[in-house]
Amino acid sequence: MNASFLQAAPFLWLLLAVALEIGGTYLLKLSDGMTRRAVGAGGIVLVMGAFAALAQAIEGMDLSVAYAVWGGAGLVITAIIGALVFGQRIRPAGWLGILLVVAGVVALKMV
């Protein structure tokens, strides 16, 4: 197998984990408190897939970095989706918190 692919594999697993987590969270919101059970079940399956992909990612990268990126990216992107798709307002303190999360992830990766 190509060496550059093997080096990128943990990062690709991490990207998949982030995408599945965001998709799962989105479906859970659309499930309307699990009143739409099929949609909610789809969300749960995606979140489980996210954990499985994260487990693959941490085999090739530091747990602290993988989890921080996964959680941070999920938080930021989900907040943006909440604002754009569901019209949820993010207060200035919320934006500050998002900025701090991003700064924390960047700092963790730089150390």
Side-chain angles (χ1 to χ4, degrees), residues 44-58:
I44 290 170
V45 168
L46 289 183
V47 170
M48 291 172 60
F51 278 101
L54 181 64
Q56 293 297 314
I58 61 175

Side-chain angles (χ1 to χ4, degrees), residues 10-80:
F11 182 73
L12 295 175
W13 280 113
L14 184 58
L15 285 178
L16 178 62
V18 169
L20 290 172
E21 191 258 344
I22 292 167
T25 304
Y26 179 75
L27 288 180
L28 289 174
K29 174 65 177 168
L30 292 179
S31 76
D32 199 22
M34 296 300 281
T35 57
R36 299 171 61 199
R37 292 184 182 176
V39 175
I44 290 170
V45 168
L46 289 183
V47 170
M48 291 172 60
F51 278 101
L54 181 64
Q56 293 297 314
I58 61 175
E59 284 190 18
M61 63 188 341
D62 290 345
L63 173 63
S64 60
V65 172
Y67 192 78
V69 170
W70 180 67
L75 182 147
V76 171
I77 296 170
T78 301
I80 292 170

